């Protein structure tokens, strides 16, 4: 199967590499040619434009920052027009049902939305969770490719076109809500005089326990790592898309809108490239200290 791959960033670079490792023949494209160096060294063909990357392939995969760029690449940069008849477009970006619909209105192409969870680490190890929306037959054709990038039991066909985007946005929305809620609770508790490790241990044995506090927050608590592999610019983009989706379907999203504003404040303060867990720093400032567990507490936890 001939595959075109557009978007070789934090996620797309290792995903394309895993496809090559699984024996697939790739043509790759990115606005930065240097991003393709390792793929070309492994035998991939470089395409100088999105349209060139899409021509002569059976499957075109896109892994791009946002819906506007997905539409630009497919429509204005000519990738959709260049696709051979019958080829399949798989968009793995965190994008929106509306953006893909606009592409489909102009071009009658087979398509799947297949956004991912699992962060850059999951992309590196080929263990991504993948949420696929589209026709079951197209899902069947895509499955061997998705298996090269994701873990078999985490590749889910979640419904018709657009469902994959929706599931992905809802997962991110809930995760960002967890981050803000957890940070606020820790800030109040610590400022009120309770030891951070004691507070965390009490929360984890209570009905308020969460996977976020137990696992995801540990990168901050153990080593002050706010996860630079997923930038604040992308996190704010996802929150904006999730709130927009709520508006589109007529569901009010007061809490999500507030979490989005808190994320935007952190982005303004710490920059577009700061890690996705950077809003924790806003609450560390309020608490008057960083949230860090001492070594012995880490061992007990
Ligand atoms: P990134 O910014 O690191 O990579 C995006 C790549 O797209 C860059 O290499 C950029 O040069 C390229 N690009 C931009 N415009 C282009 C164009 N017009 N033509 C060709 N290439 C273009 O982003 P990322 O972290 O790899 O994320 C990609 C997508 O995956 C986003 O939608 C993001 O929300 C989603 N995602 C990211 C993570 C993560 O942990 N980083 C996890 C899950 C999902």
């Amino acid at each position: 199967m001939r595959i075109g791959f557009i978007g070789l960033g934090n996620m797309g670079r290792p995903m394309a590499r895993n496809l090559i490792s699984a024996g697939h023949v790739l043509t790759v494209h990115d606005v930065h040619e240097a991003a393709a160096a390792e793929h070309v060294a492994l035998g991939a063909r470089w395409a100088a434009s999105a349209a060139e990357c899409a021509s002569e392939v059976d499957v075109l995969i896109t892994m791009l920052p946002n819906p506007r760029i997905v539409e630009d690449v497919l429509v204005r940069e000519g990738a959709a027009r260049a696709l051979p008849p019958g080829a399949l477009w798989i968009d793995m970006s965190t994008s929106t049902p509306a953006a893909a619909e606009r592409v489909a209105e102009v071009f009658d192409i087979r398509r799947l939305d297949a956004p991912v969870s699992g962060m850059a680490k999951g992309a590196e190890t080929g263990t991504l969770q993948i949420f696929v929306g589209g026709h079951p037959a197209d899902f069947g054709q895509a499955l061997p490719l998705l298996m090269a990038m994701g873990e078999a039991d985490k590749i889910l066909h979640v419904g018709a076109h657009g469902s994959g985007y929706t599931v992905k946005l809802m997962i991110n929305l809930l995760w960002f809500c967890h981050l803000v809620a957890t940070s606020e609770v820790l800030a109040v508790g610590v400022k009120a005089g309770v030891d951070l490790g004691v507070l965390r241990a009490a929360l984890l044995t209570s009905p308020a326990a969460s996977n976020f506090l137990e696992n995801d927050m540990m990168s901050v608590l153990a080593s002050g790592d706010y996860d630079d592999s997923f930038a604040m610019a992308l996190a704010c983009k996802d929150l904006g898309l999730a709130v927009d989706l709520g508006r589109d379907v007529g569901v009010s999203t007061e809490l999500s809108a507030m979490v989005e504003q808190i994320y935007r404040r952190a982005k303004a303060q710490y920059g577009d490239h700061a890690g996705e867990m950077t809003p924790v720093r806003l609450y560390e400032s309020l608490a008057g200290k960083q949230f860090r567990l001492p070594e012995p507490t880490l061992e007990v936890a």
Side-chain angles (χ1 to χ4, degrees):
M1 206 182 308
R2 300 161 305 167
I3 301 164
F5 200 111
I6 302 178
L8 303 166
N10 286 328
M11 299 296 286
R13 198 179 316 119
M15 289 161 68
R17 192 197 318 121
N18 286 336
L19 284 166
I20 296 170
S21 301
H24 299 290
V25 179
L26 255 67
T27 301
V28 291
H29 173 69
D30 192 283
V31 280
H32 302 297
E33 186 170 353
E38 63 180 288
H39 309 93
V40 171
L42 292 169
R45 188 172 77 82
W46 166 251
S49 69
E52 185 188 329
C53 190
S55 61
E56 299 176 15
V57 298
D58 304 298
V59 174
L60 176 68
I61 298 175
T62 45
M63 191 54 172
L64 294 162
N66 60 47
R68 181 185 58 76
I69 295 178
V70 171
E71 257 187 282
D72 277 352
V73 165
L74 268 288
V75 179
R76 283 168 280 284
E77 296 181 30
R81 189 182 303 280
L83 275 178
L88 177 66
W89 167 42
I90 308 175
D91 184 24
M92 304 191 75
S93 322
T94 305
S95 182
T96 57
E101 282 302 325
R102 284 192 292 273
V103 175
E105 276 167 19
V106 186
F107 297 97
D108 182 21
I109 48 177
R110 290 169 58 224
R111 65 188 166 99
L112 292 171
D113 42 294
V116 307
S117 277
M119 308 206 273
K121 193 169 158 214
E124 291 283 346
T125 53
T127 54
L128 290 169
Q129 191 172 10
I130 308 180
F131 314 100
V132 188
H135 294 305
D138 294 336
F139 175 64
Q141 184 192 344
L143 200 50
L145 305 182
L146 302 180
M147 298 266 276
M149 297 179 276
E151 212 164 298
D153 60 353
K154 293 192 199 160
I155 301 172
L156 307 175
H157 183 242
V158 293
H161 288 136
S163 308
Y165 293 131
T166 299
V167 169
K168 168 62 185 170
L169 287 176
M170 294 304 99
I171 288 171
N172 280 19
L173 175 58
L174 186 55
W175 194 88
F176 297 136
C177 290
H178 273 294
L179 181 140
V180 169
T182 304
S183 301
E184 190 171 288
V185 162
L186 295 184
V188 174
V190 166
K191 194 78 188 283
V194 181
D195 175 79
L196 177 65
V198 171
L199 178 58
R200 176 174 177 269
L203 287 166
L204 288 180
T205 52
S206 82
S210 69
N211 177 61
F212 181 84
L213 180 60
E214 185 170 7
N215 298 308
D216 297 359
M217 187 99 186
M218 281 310 295
S219 65
V220 172
L221 300 181
S223 55
D225 174 0
Y226 297 88
D227 186 18
D228 288 351
S229 72
F230 189 71
M232 281 297 287
L234 289 177
C236 288
K237 177 262 304 188
D238 288 358
L239 276 162
L241 296 179
V243 171
D244 285 349
L245 186 57
R247 192 178 297 114
D248 288 350
V249 297
V251 173
S252 57
T253 53
E254 294 93 339
L255 177 63
S256 312
M258 187 170 290
V259 170
E260 182 194 3
Q261 293 305 317
I262 292 165
Y263 258 79
R264 288 194 183 285
R265 183 149 55 84
K267 180 164 87 79
Q269 194 162 329
Y270 297 103
D272 283 4
H273 299 290
E276 63 176 329
M277 299 184 78
T278 296
V280 176
R281 297 177 67 179
L282 298 176
Y283 293 90
E284 291 176 334
S285 296
L286 293 172
K289 59 164 77 163
Q290 293 184 319
F291 299 150
R292 300 288 183 275
L293 294 175
E295 293 289 332
T297 315
L298 287 175
E299 279 161 25
V300 172

